[in-house]
Amino acid sequence: MLLTVTMSLLEGFGTTLKLFLLTLLFALPLGLIISFGSMSRITPLRWMTRTVVWIIRGSPLLLQILVVFYGPGLLFDLPLLPRFTAALVTFIINYACYFSEIYRGGIQSIPRGQYEAGQVLGMTKRQIFFKVTLLQVIKRIVPPMGNEFITLVKDTALVRVISVYEIIWMGESYIKKGLIWPLFYTAVFYLVFNGLLTILFSWLEKKLDYFK
Amino acid sequence: MPILEVQHIEKHFGATQVLTDISFSLEQGQTISIIGSSGSGKTTLLRCLNFLEKPDGGSISVNGSIIFDASDPKTQLESEIRQKRLHFGLVFQNFNLFPQYTALQNVTLARELLAKERGGETKVQIEEAGRELLAQMGLADRASHYPHQLSGGQQQRVAIARALALHPDILCFDEPTSALDPELTGEVLKVIRSLAEQKTTMIIVTHEMAFARDVADQVIFMDGGVIVEQGEPHQVIDHPREERTKQFLARYAEA
């Protein structure tokens, strides 16, 4: 029985992991673009971006998943997106908005003197970004990013609302058979994976500890 | 011919006039000290010279060629600013060292980037030159330290070496000792003094009156965005002619 449960939970966790990794792959760069938008000197672009970020961060992810999945069909008579794709798209947009605020905080926390020192030393904007500020920004955003990564792992459980069969759904299916322990077992997967993430992030923090 | 000629510089932020009709010139190998109370426009003037602020009026010439003229857009091309900045070096009040680089890397970074663009020196040569500069600053044994491992005085000396590494025609100091504990100002002033002895062309904004008098060939006293008095150090600091200069120096004598 343990083996059967393990196999089916692993299958569910595969979906969880796939969603986690693909979301990061797209949301990390997209977030950077959004953060540039929210810091833009072009006022309409800045306000538009900030409004979108406010809507996405201000409304439940669960609601967003439902809207992305059912919305196109009910509003415009378009074919439904495949379930996993709909979930992935929602997660990418949602997390990109959160990441953009973390990037923005990191970028804006760099003292102006760092840019000016680069300028008077004849560096280009590009050189200042890549050679001077980037690593300082990374150092500052590692701790909040660690938080977001862990939240993302757990948020993936929400996709069951449009019947994407992730790990908790798999565990819950055993309730009908009168078994509660598979549900606890799912927690082990989360705990181990998030434990690994925690180790990874504290390693990164330590790596960047050589400067202040 | 003066190495630097500043003529009729004007600058305002919004409705506030920060610099009014600033004109002075500087000869090769000479040092100018600029004194005056906070808010008198000294720092803004240095920032204008380093193209960190754009003057609203006036012109700046280096070695006889105009590098900025507020009435001539051709002298303000974004693409040429980088090149023009290199005439000047700037040492900041708060050092602004790059925290993720060692003292030596701070000194060599910009020169390496320039060499990569233009060819010329090798990395080894640049590092050698960087080590020499640090030794000149009395920091030979601190080359591989990171800024946070150095005292304020040491950080500022690294910052001076970093500015010197690009061989600017004119080296500017913006209150180089104001952020330092009193017991650390001496080591920085000593380094600047030795630069003056080696005939480095410098403009030094400072609140250290005795230092300004000793090190400079010319002293400029600014107040409210204008040059009130300008001349030989002993004249301006010991025998000021203008009432405002007298008042300012009297406040210093009390303190």
Side-chain angles (χ1 to χ4, degrees), chain B residues 10 28 45-46 56 58 67 79 112 121-122 145 156 163 184-185 190 200 229 232 236 250:
Chain B
E10 306 271 335
Q28 170 90 45
L45 176 57
L46 281 194
D56 301 308
I67 62 164
S79 54
E112 277 171 12
E121 297 173 301
T122 64
H145 285 56
Q156 191 59 298
L184 298 177
T185 58
K190 202 176 116 198
T200 311
E229 194 163 351
E232 304 242 318
V236 177

Side-chain angles (χ1 to χ4, degrees), chain A residues 111-114 116-125 127 130-136 209-212, chain B residues 47 50 52 82 85-86 88 90 92 96-101 109-110 113-114 116-117 146 148 162-163 166:
Chain A
R112 211 171 55 149
Q114 291 290 307
E116 291 182 348
Q119 285 177 324
V120 298
L121 289 168
M123 294 186 199
T124 62
K125 276 188 180 154
Q127 289 170 337
F130 284 106
K131 298 283 177 181
V132 176
T133 55
L134 183 62
L135 195 63
Q136 297 182 51
D209 219 20
Y210 70 93
F211 71 91
K212 290 221 162 59
Chain B
R47 292 174 60 85
N50 285 277
L52 291 175
R82 247 184 92 215
R85 275 197 178 114
L86 294 175
F88 298 89
L90 177 60
F92 297 86
N96 291 335
L97 292 179
F98 305 133
Q100 73 270 42
Y101 294 115
L109 176 66
L113 291 172
L114 281 174
K116 225 182 268 171
E117 247 170 78
Y146 288 93
H148 77 273
R162 179 175 74 171
L166 297 180

Side-chain angles (χ1 to χ4, degrees), chain A residues 161-193:
Chain A
V161 76
I162 53 170
S163 304
V164 175
Y165 301 141
E166 45 66 63
I167 180 167
I168 292 187
W169 191 91
M170 293 292 193
E172 199 184 340
S173 64
Y174 290 97
I175 289 180
K176 280 172 267 166
K177 295 169 191 156
L179 293 174
I180 187 67
W181 64 265
L183 264 188
F184 288 107
Y185 195 11
T186 61
V188 175
F189 283 81
Y190 284 104
L191 287 170
V192 168
F193 191 65

